[in-house]
Amino acid sequence: MPELIELSAGDLHRKLMAGDVTARQIVERYLDRIEQIDGRVGAFNTVTAEAALDKAADIDDRLDKGEAVGPLAGVPIALKDNLCTRGVPTTCSSRILEHFVPPYDATVVERLQRADAVLIGKTNLDEFAMGSTTEASAFATTANPWDLSRVPGGSSGGSAAAVAAGLAPLALGSDTGGSIRQPAAFCGVTGLKPTYGRVSRYGLIAYASSLDQIGTFSRDPRDAALLLEVIAGHDPRDSTSAQEPVPDYSAELEKDVAGVKVGLPREYLAEGIAPDVEAAVRAAADTCRGLGAEVIDISLPHTEYAVATYYIIGTAEASSNLARFDGIHYGRRAAGKMDVDELYSRSRSEGLGDEVKRRIMLGTFALSAGYYDAYYLKALKVRRLIKKDFDDALAGVDCILAPVAPTVAYKQGEMIDDPLALYLADIYTSATNLAGLPAIAFNAGTGEGGLPVGVQLMGRPFEESGLLRLAHAFREATDHHLARPNLTED
Amino acid sequence: MQYETVIGLETHAQFHTRSKMFCGCKTDFGAPPNTQTCPVCQGLPGTLPVVNRTAVELGLRAALALRCHIAPVTQFDRKNYFYPDLPKNYQVSQNYHNLGVDGRLEIEVDGQTRKVGIWNVHLEEDAGKLEHPEDTGANYTAIDLNRAGTPLLEIVSAPDMRSADEANAYMNELAAILRHLGISDCKMQEGSLRFEAGISVRAVGGEEFGNRVEVKNLNSMSAVVKAIEHERHRQVAVLESGGTVPSQTMLWDVQREVTEPMRSKEEAKDYRYFPEPDLVPIEISPEWLDQVREQMSELPAVRRKRFIAELDLPPYDAGVIVEQKPIADYFEQTVEQGVEPKTAANWMMGEVMRVLNERQCEIDDLPVSPPMLAELIGLVTDDRISNSVGKTVFSEMCSSGKKAGEIVEEKGLAQISDSGELEAVVKQVLADHPDAVADLESGKQQAKGFLIGQIMRATRGKANPKLAGELIDRLTGD
Ligand SMILES: [Zn+2]
């Protein structure tokens, strides 16, 4: 039944409810495809086949008895391996957590369970979500399904690749400086980073607490709306989660987009952007005009400071968040008998990768006595200016259309020795996290080497509905979404 | 040269809350290791803190009682350092936006009132505890996280104290306030009150402070007093011999009663404080502050003054009774029953505290209520029983929970105040001790005391001593 792989999450669920297919058939089909294809893609760290089949059996059983099931019943979902799952290894693709099995579920996982989604596995990432190629995983490199010699982006590369390769109709990731949107763009899928506070972070292993946000991967905006409805909302266990009501995103999706004002920031289309990406953004602007939207030239003057600000704040928080991985209480511990200081040092030296160490050192430096004011405090001030840029711009437009990454997906190994170049490529995504705004990335065409090119829409806080609506209208008006990577089953 | 000591104190008080600072775990003392923990206080990855509102309110009470300025917004910060009893390797504390700042506490030493400045009052979480069984031959260290995340109130004083006596008065007054306001039970032996002292010496009248020595590991008020004395002598000796006292952190060695320098590595710490991004700032509205104020009971200093002015208690008695709120409450309830205040105070400071001490229990654990004590005191003041029988009856009440009247009746302890009944006993005693009678008649008054003692013995303490004295006077024909 190859057609099951082609169906959206919403359609899979509707087919299940109509009795056209069983949850077991859906799950078996996806597990089979993972078996056939993931050896080449490497999207998953763990496949939870047995638990998935149990969950499917439970759903089928309840449907047989005429009992109620949740809104995602029967829909397989993959989770980035930095989301805690009770009884299932949660590694952050790090040696230090290689054998860590959380005793609790993240809030989003609880909500997915209640919605009867079927967890099929945990996906690869750059270690502790630090990176943008998934090459910084301690375990494996994930391939881009469109071109296996290329990276899927990162840090949520495994989740993006899983959806692109048809290994899961839905996946969750986390976005701290672009970690959902950039891999979504590289893999030609829809990636939604909600407003900071829209989705509970409880159970997301933190990289940078004030920037991290859990979000969705799907093939289209409609599925993103469906998934966001399930995971969004206040959580008493996360003080930074918002009390804002959760709209019916799916219903909001259908509303008209005529008259919507779309801002096009001139700083995002300046030096450094590849021609194929710029062309895709300009074509997307034309499509928006065609849909009745008004496209307006805008300015975000502090754009050039976003990357530096993001790396100071992000690494400062990370240096503290990652201090707990010390080999004492859980996780990998250096072998042998030694005093506690050496135990810390050896466990962390052995357990953490280069990129993680680099960021911990940067952040420790930024918070150190004598440097705190010059780096961390100053970064907080610039963060306020960047936020103000967006507030000012979004007073005049409803959303902002922008590129996601300066180029299409890199070749594997191409950027591995140039961390600074990789950092600078976060130019279009990191400001959104600093401002805490929602953004959605989606496929807007084909660029160099036949690879997908993504664009993003950024919006006002808690106005995910508007972004989903315009992205949905864009999809209806174009046929970029029809393209599929060429991955034949064995 | 004359030297003066300059002392500032940091006080850590464990809150009297049922749950921890950032999770719902219990804070009971003495539970088996790691039974009062959850993913949050174990510092498991992905977990997030949620502020315990009760702890914030108790902290506000302390800040108000210490006359602090309270900012409209308070915030938590992370204090970063690695230690195995700290599972996140950072402590959630306050550094940049403390709950209260610029307060003061009035203390009284030798009848003089002094103001000690309070730099700040802030909230933080406690660490766990390490056990080192290698002392008994084991080759590991055990970690108990029951205490990890317990809410702590830290009170930082200005270096305004000039003697160990003043520091002692400050600690006692602070503890009385914390107990009175239900903020902390201040049980030293359970570690719910701990201190760090900053100590320096300088020539009397000097402008500049001497180099400051920070003494840690002070787990009792007496340790603070001893450490101050020790440091004063040590630092003066250094100065007298022409040396300089280095600024450093020392540990108090409880056994040897000396300060020892900490390893310099532990001393040179950069905590890299920054705002805790997992918690949102807490707004303290004037309405909330008013609510907290309404819930606050009378402060010890105010209560002491009232006891002295309105109940005519001597200042010493007022001081002893007000030190612990339950004792003071019990005392007031006894007085409300019509007992003369000084008499009630004598009972509180005498028998009641003796029994509490003997039994190592709290006053609320006694089966004797204030009305029951008032009844007993009434029996004594009405001469129905003697003072010494009263003490015996009180012990009995504490054991059995019975009322004084019942015990007196059951055991036939009522005082013999009938002169006819007592006269026979007195006559017998006089007949048995002719020498004492002779002594008395020759003017030796101490013989009378001996004879009353013999009468008490013969009546098992039930004789009314006043009546017995009168009978002796009459029967010896004085
Ligand atoms: Zn807990």
Side-chain angles (χ1 to χ4, degrees), chain A residues 238-308:
Chain A
D238 175 2
S239 316
T240 66
S241 74
Q243 302 272 0
E244 291 285 318
V246 179
D248 182 343
Y249 295 112
S250 299
E252 293 282 321
L253 207 65
E254 305 296 343
K255 294 188 181 163
D256 195 12
V257 296
V260 167
K261 288 181 180 157
V262 179
L264 201 57
R266 64 185 82 109
E267 292 82 1
Y268 283 55
L269 293 166
E271 204 187 332
I273 191 167
D276 51 350
V277 177
E278 184 176 353
V281 175
R282 296 208 184 275
D286 288 341
T287 305
C288 289
R289 278 190 205 94
L291 289 164
E294 188 184 343
V295 177
I296 300 164
D297 174 63
I298 60 162
S299 173
L300 297 167
H302 295 91
T303 297
E304 62 174 310
Y305 304 111
V307 170

Side-chain angles (χ1 to χ4, degrees), chain B residues 20 22-26 36-42 145 148-149:
Chain B
K20 292 189 179 179
F22 300 116
C23 64
C25 288
K26 283 197 274 184
Q36 293 179 166
T37 65
C38 71
V40 176
C41 57
Q42 287 164 13
L145 294 179

